[in-house]
Each structure stands twice: as C-alpha cells, then as structure tokens.
Amino acid sequence: MSSSLAGILTAFEPVLAAVLSVVIFGLRFSFVELIGFILVFASIFILEKRL
C-alpha cells in the first residue's frame, strides 16, 4: 500500500467514528459536526485528485 493511499484511508477514521456513533449510540450531529464532516470529505476528495 502506498503512503498516499494510507493517508487517504487515515482521513476516513473520523468520518467512520462519527457514522458509527450515530448508528450504535443514536447520537445526532450538530451544525459544527456537519461542517467538520463536509470538510473531511472535501479534504479526502482533494487528496484523491492529487494522486
């Protein structure tokens, strides 16, 4: 596995943690968390385009 792919997969960790917290614990996203979620996905998208 290349280091760039490992970096992209590492960026998914907070997203997966947030999704699992909703699924398992029934938590709800606040506005700030939704903004963070969008920023993480945007950074993953940007990183992927660089590869």
Side-chain angles (χ1 to χ4, degrees):
M1 176 185 302
S2 69
S3 61
S4 58
L5 178 59
I8 290 172
L9 291 176
T10 302
F12 273 110
E13 183 181 349
V15 173
L16 182 60
V19 169
L20 288 177
S21 70
V22 170
V23 171
I24 294 173
F25 301 116
L27 299 177
R28 297 184 66 195
F29 285 128
S30 70
F31 179 72
V32 174
E33 291 167 329
L34 286 175
I35 295 297
F37 198 71
I38 291 168
L39 289 174
V40 168
F41 269 121
S43 67
I44 292 168
F45 180 75
I46 291 169
L47 288 172
E48 191 173 304
K49 288 297 180 185
R50 285 185 162 189
L51 296 177

Short mmCIF file of all heavy atoms in Angstrom, two decimals:
data_model
loop_
_atom_site.label_atom_id
_atom_site.label_comp_id
_atom_site.label_asym_id
_atom_site.label_seq_id
_atom_site.Cartn_x
_atom_site.Cartn_y
_atom_site.Cartn_z
N MET A 1 0.85 -1.17 0.00
CA MET A 1 0.00 0.00 0.00
C MET A 1 0.90 1.24 0.00
O MET A 1 1.84 1.32 0.77
CB MET A 1 -0.88 -0.02 1.25
CG MET A 1 -1.73 1.20 1.41
SD MET A 1 -2.69 1.28 2.93
CE MET A 1 -3.64 -0.19 2.87
N SER A 2 0.58 2.16 -0.87
CA SER A 2 1.38 3.38 -0.96
C SER A 2 1.09 4.30 0.22
O SER A 2 0.05 4.21 0.87
CB SER A 2 1.10 4.10 -2.27
OG SER A 2 -0.21 4.63 -2.26
N SER A 3 2.02 5.18 0.50
CA SER A 3 1.84 6.10 1.62
C SER A 3 0.70 7.09 1.36
O SER A 3 0.01 7.49 2.29
CB SER A 3 3.14 6.86 1.89
OG SER A 3 3.52 7.61 0.77
N SER A 4 0.48 7.46 0.11
CA SER A 4 -0.61 8.39 -0.18
C SER A 4 -1.97 7.72 0.03
O SER A 4 -2.89 8.34 0.57
CB SER A 4 -0.50 8.92 -1.61
OG SER A 4 -0.51 7.86 -2.54
N LEU A 5 -2.10 6.45 -0.33
CA LEU A 5 -3.34 5.73 -0.09
C LEU A 5 -3.57 5.54 1.41
O LEU A 5 -4.70 5.69 1.90
CB LEU A 5 -3.33 4.37 -0.80
CG LEU A 5 -4.56 3.50 -0.59
CD1 LEU A 5 -5.82 4.20 -1.08
CD2 LEU A 5 -4.37 2.16 -1.29
N ALA A 6 -2.51 5.27 2.15
CA ALA A 6 -2.63 5.13 3.60
C ALA A 6 -3.08 6.45 4.23
O ALA A 6 -3.89 6.45 5.16
CB ALA A 6 -1.30 4.69 4.19
N GLY A 7 -2.59 7.56 3.71
CA GLY A 7 -3.02 8.87 4.23
C GLY A 7 -4.49 9.14 3.97
O GLY A 7 -5.20 9.68 4.82
N ILE A 8 -4.97 8.74 2.81
CA ILE A 8 -6.38 8.94 2.48
C ILE A 8 -7.24 8.05 3.36
O ILE A 8 -8.28 8.48 3.88
CB ILE A 8 -6.63 8.66 0.99
CG1 ILE A 8 -6.00 9.76 0.16
CG2 ILE A 8 -8.12 8.57 0.70
CD1 ILE A 8 -6.01 9.51 -1.32
N LEU A 9 -6.82 6.81 3.57
CA LEU A 9 -7.59 5.91 4.43
C LEU A 9 -7.61 6.41 5.88
O LEU A 9 -8.61 6.26 6.57
CB LEU A 9 -7.03 4.50 4.35
CG LEU A 9 -7.22 3.78 3.02
CD1 LEU A 9 -6.54 2.43 3.05
CD2 LEU A 9 -8.70 3.64 2.70
N THR A 10 -6.52 7.00 6.32
CA THR A 10 -6.46 7.56 7.66
C THR A 10 -7.42 8.74 7.80
O THR A 10 -7.99 8.95 8.87
CB THR A 10 -5.03 8.02 7.98
OG1 THR A 10 -4.15 6.91 7.85
CG2 THR A 10 -4.91 8.57 9.38
N ALA A 11 -7.64 9.48 6.73
CA ALA A 11 -8.57 10.61 6.78
C ALA A 11 -10.01 10.14 6.97
O ALA A 11 -10.85 10.91 7.44
CB ALA A 11 -8.45 11.43 5.50
N PHE A 12 -10.31 8.89 6.63
CA PHE A 12 -11.66 8.36 6.82
C PHE A 12 -11.97 8.00 8.27
O PHE A 12 -13.12 7.77 8.61
CB PHE A 12 -11.87 7.12 5.94
CG PHE A 12 -12.34 7.43 4.56
CD1 PHE A 12 -11.50 7.24 3.49
CD2 PHE A 12 -13.61 7.91 4.33
CE1 PHE A 12 -11.90 7.52 2.21
CE2 PHE A 12 -14.03 8.20 3.05
CZ PHE A 12 -13.17 8.00 1.98
N GLU A 13 -10.96 7.92 9.12
CA GLU A 13 -11.17 7.50 10.50
C GLU A 13 -12.18 8.36 11.25
O GLU A 13 -13.11 7.82 11.87
CB GLU A 13 -9.84 7.45 11.24
CG GLU A 13 -9.96 6.96 12.66
CD GLU A 13 -8.62 6.97 13.37
OE1 GLU A 13 -7.58 7.15 12.73
OE2 GLU A 13 -8.65 6.79 14.59
N PRO A 14 -12.07 9.70 11.24
CA PRO A 14 -13.07 10.49 11.97
C PRO A 14 -14.47 10.36 11.36
O PRO A 14 -15.48 10.43 12.08
CB PRO A 14 -12.56 11.92 11.89
CG PRO A 14 -11.53 11.94 10.84
CD PRO A 14 -11.03 10.54 10.67
N VAL A 15 -14.55 10.19 10.06
CA VAL A 15 -15.85 10.02 9.40
C VAL A 15 -16.50 8.73 9.87
O VAL A 15 -17.67 8.69 10.24
CB VAL A 15 -15.70 10.04 7.87
CG1 VAL A 15 -17.00 9.71 7.19
CG2 VAL A 15 -15.17 11.38 7.41
N LEU A 16 -15.72 7.65 9.88
CA LEU A 16 -16.25 6.36 10.33
C LEU A 16 -16.65 6.42 11.80
O LEU A 16 -17.69 5.87 12.18
CB LEU A 16 -15.21 5.27 10.10
CG LEU A 16 -15.62 3.85 10.47
CD1 LEU A 16 -16.84 3.43 9.64
CD2 LEU A 16 -14.48 2.89 10.25
N ALA A 17 -15.86 7.08 12.62
CA ALA A 17 -16.20 7.21 14.04
C ALA A 17 -17.51 7.98 14.21
O ALA A 17 -18.35 7.61 15.05
CB ALA A 17 -15.08 7.92 14.78
N ALA A 18 -17.72 9.02 13.44
CA ALA A 18 -18.95 9.79 13.54
C ALA A 18 -20.16 8.98 13.09
O ALA A 18 -21.21 8.99 13.74
CB ALA A 18 -18.84 11.07 12.70
N VAL A 19 -20.00 8.26 12.00
CA VAL A 19 -21.11 7.44 11.49
C VAL A 19 -21.46 6.34 12.48
O VAL A 19 -22.64 6.09 12.77
CB VAL A 19 -20.77 6.86 10.10
CG1 VAL A 19 -21.78 5.82 9.68
CG2 VAL A 19 -20.69 7.98 9.07
N LEU A 20 -20.45 5.69 13.03
CA LEU A 20 -20.72 4.63 14.00
C LEU A 20 -21.34 5.17 15.29
O LEU A 20 -22.14 4.49 15.92
CB LEU A 20 -19.44 3.86 14.31
CG LEU A 20 -18.94 2.96 13.19
CD1 LEU A 20 -17.62 2.29 13.58
CD2 LEU A 20 -19.97 1.91 12.82
N SER A 21 -20.99 6.39 15.69
CA SER A 21 -21.60 6.96 16.89
C SER A 21 -23.09 7.21 16.68
O SER A 21 -23.88 7.08 17.61
CB SER A 21 -20.89 8.25 17.29
OG SER A 21 -21.15 9.28 16.38
N VAL A 22 -23.46 7.54 15.45
CA VAL A 22 -24.89 7.72 15.15
C VAL A 22 -25.59 6.37 15.11
O VAL A 22 -26.66 6.19 15.69
CB VAL A 22 -25.06 8.46 13.80
CG1 VAL A 22 -26.51 8.44 13.36
CG2 VAL A 22 -24.56 9.88 13.91
N VAL A 23 -24.97 5.39 14.46
CA VAL A 23 -25.59 4.08 14.28
C VAL A 23 -25.68 3.33 15.61
O VAL A 23 -26.74 2.79 15.97
CB VAL A 23 -24.81 3.24 13.24
CG1 VAL A 23 -25.31 1.82 13.20
CG2 VAL A 23 -24.92 3.88 11.87
N ILE A 24 -24.59 3.30 16.36
CA ILE A 24 -24.55 2.50 17.58
C ILE A 24 -25.20 3.20 18.77
O ILE A 24 -25.98 2.61 19.50
CB ILE A 24 -23.09 2.11 17.91
CG1 ILE A 24 -22.55 1.18 16.82
CG2 ILE A 24 -23.00 1.44 19.28
CD1 ILE A 24 -21.09 0.87 16.95
N PHE A 25 -24.86 4.48 18.97
CA PHE A 25 -25.32 5.19 20.16
C PHE A 25 -26.51 6.10 19.93
O PHE A 25 -27.04 6.68 20.87
CB PHE A 25 -24.17 5.99 20.76
CG PHE A 25 -22.99 5.16 21.15
CD1 PHE A 25 -21.77 5.32 20.53
CD2 PHE A 25 -23.09 4.19 22.14
CE1 PHE A 25 -20.67 4.56 20.87
CE2 PHE A 25 -22.01 3.41 22.49
CZ PHE A 25 -20.80 3.59 21.86
N GLY A 26 -26.90 6.27 18.68
CA GLY A 26 -28.06 7.12 18.39
C GLY A 26 -27.80 8.60 18.58
O GLY A 26 -28.74 9.37 18.78
N LEU A 27 -26.54 9.02 18.51
CA LEU A 27 -26.23 10.43 18.67
C LEU A 27 -26.66 11.21 17.43
O LEU A 27 -26.81 10.65 16.35
CB LEU A 27 -24.72 10.61 18.90
CG LEU A 27 -24.16 9.94 20.14
CD1 LEU A 27 -22.66 10.14 20.20
CD2 LEU A 27 -24.81 10.48 21.39
N ARG A 28 -26.84 12.50 17.60
CA ARG A 28 -27.22 13.36 16.48
C ARG A 28 -26.10 14.33 16.20
O ARG A 28 -25.40 14.77 17.09
CB ARG A 28 -28.50 14.13 16.83
CG ARG A 28 -29.67 13.20 17.06
CD ARG A 28 -30.93 13.94 17.31
NE ARG A 28 -31.28 14.66 16.09
CZ ARG A 28 -32.16 15.62 16.04
NH1 ARG A 28 -32.79 15.99 17.14
NH2 ARG A 28 -32.45 16.23 14.91
N PHE A 29 -25.94 14.68 14.92
CA PHE A 29 -24.93 15.65 14.51
C PHE A 29 -25.39 17.06 14.82
O PHE A 29 -26.54 17.42 14.58
CB PHE A 29 -24.66 15.57 13.01
CG PHE A 29 -23.85 14.38 12.58
CD1 PHE A 29 -24.30 13.56 11.57
CD2 PHE A 29 -22.63 14.10 13.17
CE1 PHE A 29 -23.56 12.48 11.17
CE2 PHE A 29 -21.89 13.03 12.77
CZ PHE A 29 -22.34 12.21 11.77
N SER A 30 -24.48 17.87 15.34
CA SER A 30 -24.75 19.29 15.48
C SER A 30 -24.29 19.98 14.19
O SER A 30 -23.67 19.37 13.33
CB SER A 30 -24.01 19.87 16.69
OG SER A 30 -22.61 19.90 16.44
N PHE A 31 -24.57 21.25 14.09
CA PHE A 31 -24.18 22.01 12.90
C PHE A 31 -22.67 22.01 12.73
O PHE A 31 -22.16 21.81 11.62
CB PHE A 31 -24.71 23.45 12.99
CG PHE A 31 -24.33 24.30 11.82
CD1 PHE A 31 -24.92 24.09 10.58
CD2 PHE A 31 -23.37 25.28 11.95
CE1 PHE A 31 -24.57 24.86 9.49
CE2 PHE A 31 -23.01 26.06 10.87
CZ PHE A 31 -23.61 25.84 9.64
N VAL A 32 -21.94 22.20 13.81
CA VAL A 32 -20.48 22.23 13.75
C VAL A 32 -19.93 20.87 13.31
O VAL A 32 -18.99 20.80 12.50
CB VAL A 32 -19.89 22.63 15.12
CG1 VAL A 32 -18.38 22.53 15.13
CG2 VAL A 32 -20.33 24.03 15.50
N GLU A 33 -20.51 19.80 13.79
CA GLU A 33 -20.07 18.46 13.38
C GLU A 33 -20.35 18.21 11.91
O GLU A 33 -19.54 17.58 11.22
CB GLU A 33 -20.73 17.40 14.25
CG GLU A 33 -20.23 17.42 15.68
CD GLU A 33 -21.08 16.60 16.60
OE1 GLU A 33 -22.31 16.49 16.37
OE2 GLU A 33 -20.53 16.08 17.58
N LEU A 34 -21.47 18.69 11.42
CA LEU A 34 -21.77 18.54 10.00
C LEU A 34 -20.77 19.31 9.13
O LEU A 34 -20.34 18.82 8.09
CB LEU A 34 -23.20 19.00 9.70
CG LEU A 34 -24.30 18.06 10.17
CD1 LEU A 34 -25.66 18.69 9.93
CD2 LEU A 34 -24.20 16.73 9.46
N ILE A 35 -20.39 20.49 9.57
CA ILE A 35 -19.39 21.27 8.85
C ILE A 35 -18.06 20.51 8.84
O ILE A 35 -17.39 20.43 7.81
CB ILE A 35 -19.21 22.67 9.48
CG1 ILE A 35 -20.49 23.49 9.34
CG2 ILE A 35 -18.02 23.40 8.87
CD1 ILE A 35 -20.88 23.78 7.91
N GLY A 36 -17.67 19.94 9.97
CA GLY A 36 -16.45 19.14 10.04
C GLY A 36 -16.50 17.94 9.13
O GLY A 36 -15.52 17.59 8.46
N PHE A 37 -17.66 17.29 9.09
CA PHE A 37 -17.88 16.13 8.22
C PHE A 37 -17.66 16.52 6.76
O PHE A 37 -16.97 15.83 6.01
CB PHE A 37 -19.31 15.65 8.45
CG PHE A 37 -19.60 14.26 7.99
CD1 PHE A 37 -19.09 13.16 8.66
CD2 PHE A 37 -20.42 14.03 6.90
CE1 PHE A 37 -19.37 11.88 8.25
CE2 PHE A 37 -20.72 12.75 6.48
CZ PHE A 37 -20.18 11.67 7.16
N ILE A 38 -18.20 17.65 6.37
CA ILE A 38 -18.06 18.15 5.00
C ILE A 38 -16.61 18.50 4.70
O ILE A 38 -16.09 18.19 3.62
CB ILE A 38 -18.99 19.35 4.76
CG1 ILE A 38 -20.45 18.89 4.78
CG2 ILE A 38 -18.66 20.07 3.47
CD1 ILE A 38 -21.46 20.01 4.84
N LEU A 39 -15.93 19.12 5.66
CA LEU A 39 -14.53 19.48 5.45
C LEU A 39 -13.63 18.25 5.30
O LEU A 39 -12.71 18.24 4.48
CB LEU A 39 -14.03 20.36 6.59
CG LEU A 39 -14.59 21.77 6.64
CD1 LEU A 39 -14.15 22.48 7.91
CD2 LEU A 39 -14.18 22.55 5.41
N VAL A 40 -13.91 17.21 6.08
CA VAL A 40 -13.12 15.98 5.96
C VAL A 40 -13.32 15.36 4.58
O VAL A 40 -12.37 14.96 3.92
CB VAL A 40 -13.49 14.99 7.08
CG1 VAL A 40 -12.90 13.61 6.80
CG2 VAL A 40 -13.00 15.49 8.42
N PHE A 41 -14.58 15.29 4.13
CA PHE A 41 -14.84 14.74 2.80
C PHE A 41 -14.20 15.59 1.71
O PHE A 41 -13.68 15.06 0.72
CB PHE A 41 -16.34 14.59 2.53
CG PHE A 41 -16.86 13.24 2.93
CD1 PHE A 41 -17.87 13.15 3.87
CD2 PHE A 41 -16.36 12.08 2.39
CE1 PHE A 41 -18.36 11.91 4.25
CE2 PHE A 41 -16.83 10.85 2.75
CZ PHE A 41 -17.85 10.75 3.69
N ALA A 42 -14.22 16.90 1.88
CA ALA A 42 -13.58 17.78 0.89
C ALA A 42 -12.08 17.54 0.84
O ALA A 42 -11.48 17.48 -0.24
CB ALA A 42 -13.89 19.23 1.20
N SER A 43 -11.46 17.37 2.00
CA SER A 43 -10.01 17.12 2.02
C SER A 43 -9.68 15.77 1.40
O SER A 43 -8.68 15.64 0.69
CB SER A 43 -9.46 17.22 3.44
OG SER A 43 -9.96 16.17 4.24
N ILE A 44 -10.50 14.77 1.66
CA ILE A 44 -10.28 13.46 1.04
C ILE A 44 -10.40 13.57 -0.47
O ILE A 44 -9.60 13.01 -1.22
CB ILE A 44 -11.27 12.41 1.59
CG1 ILE A 44 -10.95 12.13 3.07
CG2 ILE A 44 -11.22 11.12 0.80
CD1 ILE A 44 -12.02 11.34 3.78
N PHE A 45 -11.40 14.29 -0.94
CA PHE A 45 -11.59 14.49 -2.37
C PHE A 45 -10.39 15.18 -3.00
O PHE A 45 -9.89 14.79 -4.05
CB PHE A 45 -12.88 15.28 -2.62
CG PHE A 45 -13.16 15.54 -4.06
CD1 PHE A 45 -13.63 14.52 -4.87
CD2 PHE A 45 -12.94 16.79 -4.62
CE1 PHE A 45 -13.88 14.75 -6.22
CE2 PHE A 45 -13.20 17.03 -5.96
CZ PHE A 45 -13.67 16.00 -6.76
N ILE A 46 -9.89 16.23 -2.34
CA ILE A 46 -8.73 16.96 -2.84
C ILE A 46 -7.49 16.07 -2.87
O ILE A 46 -6.74 16.05 -3.84
CB ILE A 46 -8.48 18.23 -2.00
CG1 ILE A 46 -9.62 19.23 -2.26
CG2 ILE A 46 -7.13 18.85 -2.32
CD1 ILE A 46 -9.62 20.39 -1.30
N LEU A 47 -7.28 15.30 -1.81
CA LEU A 47 -6.14 14.39 -1.77
C LEU A 47 -6.22 13.33 -2.85
O LEU A 47 -5.22 12.98 -3.46
CB LEU A 47 -6.05 13.71 -0.40
CG LEU A 47 -5.59 14.58 0.76
CD1 LEU A 47 -5.75 13.82 2.07
CD2 LEU A 47 -4.15 15.01 0.56
N GLU A 48 -7.41 12.84 -3.09
CA GLU A 48 -7.58 11.81 -4.11
C GLU A 48 -7.31 12.35 -5.50
O GLU A 48 -6.76 11.66 -6.35
CB GLU A 48 -8.99 11.23 -4.03
CG GLU A 48 -9.17 9.99 -4.86
CD GLU A 48 -10.52 9.35 -4.62
OE1 GLU A 48 -10.84 9.05 -3.47
OE2 GLU A 48 -11.25 9.18 -5.62
N LYS A 49 -7.69 13.57 -5.76
CA LYS A 49 -7.46 14.17 -7.07
C LYS A 49 -5.97 14.40 -7.32
O LYS A 49 -5.54 14.40 -8.45
CB LYS A 49 -8.21 15.51 -7.20
CG LYS A 49 -9.69 15.34 -7.34
CD LYS A 49 -9.98 14.60 -8.62
CE LYS A 49 -11.45 14.39 -8.81
NZ LYS A 49 -11.76 13.60 -9.97
N ARG A 50 -5.19 14.59 -6.26
CA ARG A 50 -3.75 14.79 -6.41
C ARG A 50 -3.04 13.51 -6.81
O ARG A 50 -1.95 13.55 -7.34
CB ARG A 50 -3.16 15.30 -5.11
CG ARG A 50 -3.46 16.72 -4.85
CD ARG A 50 -2.74 17.15 -3.62
NE ARG A 50 -2.65 18.58 -3.57
CZ ARG A 50 -1.95 19.23 -2.71
NH1 ARG A 50 -1.23 18.58 -1.83
NH2 ARG A 50 -1.92 20.54 -2.72
N LEU A 51 -3.63 12.35 -6.49
CA LEU A 51 -2.97 11.09 -6.81
C LEU A 51 -3.07 10.90 -8.28
O LEU A 51 -2.40 10.39 -9.00
CB LEU A 51 -3.66 9.94 -6.08
CG LEU A 51 -3.60 9.99 -4.56
CD1 LEU A 51 -4.38 8.82 -3.99
CD2 LEU A 51 -2.17 9.92 -4.09
#
